[in-house]
Amino acid sequence: RRQRQMCIRDRVSTQSTGSNMPTLKVDVNVTATNEVQETFLKEASSELSKILKKPEQFVAIKLDVGQKIIFGGNPSNKAALCQASNIGGLGKSDNEAVTVAISALLNKHFGIAPDHLYISFEDKKPHEVGWNNSTFA
């Protein structure tokens, strides 16, 4: 019973902050050491949390290195494809800020130029996202 009350309290408190669950999926066609990957993940998580004004405990980022990606017709171009999603709260200014921040981090850690990556944004509805044995609806 206590655990159920905590789950409900946690869900209500996260809903009161507006949008939840910022996620970012990043595919890059370069390899990197575990240290570089972990540093990128930590910095990207912090940036996403700040930009979207969400607690970092709800930010999730997936990084896949060494992927087969062709950009600009040249498979040797360093490149990245990214997908960002959130429940509400994604708009022009946030999307631009996320693009600037993630582009800078991809350049810093993987040498990927900002004109060799795409970031797609998806605004989710609360019932479309599951977490903690329920959805955010």
Side-chain angles (χ1 to χ4, degrees), residues 1 19 27-28 32 41-42 48 56 61 69 72 77 84 119 124 129 131:
R1 179 178 164 101
S19 51
D27 291 318
V28 298
L41 288 167
K42 288 176 184 175
L48 206 57
E56 195 169 359
I61 300 178
I69 300 172
N77 283 339
I119 303 174
K124 296 285 199 176
V129 181
W131 174 75

Side-chain angles (χ1 to χ4, degrees), residues 51-52 86 88-99 121 123:
I51 293 166
L52 298 177
N86 195 28
L90 289 178
K92 187 176 191 251
S93 63
D94 284 339
N95 293 359
E96 288 175 356
V98 168
T99 299
F121 294 91
D123 202 359

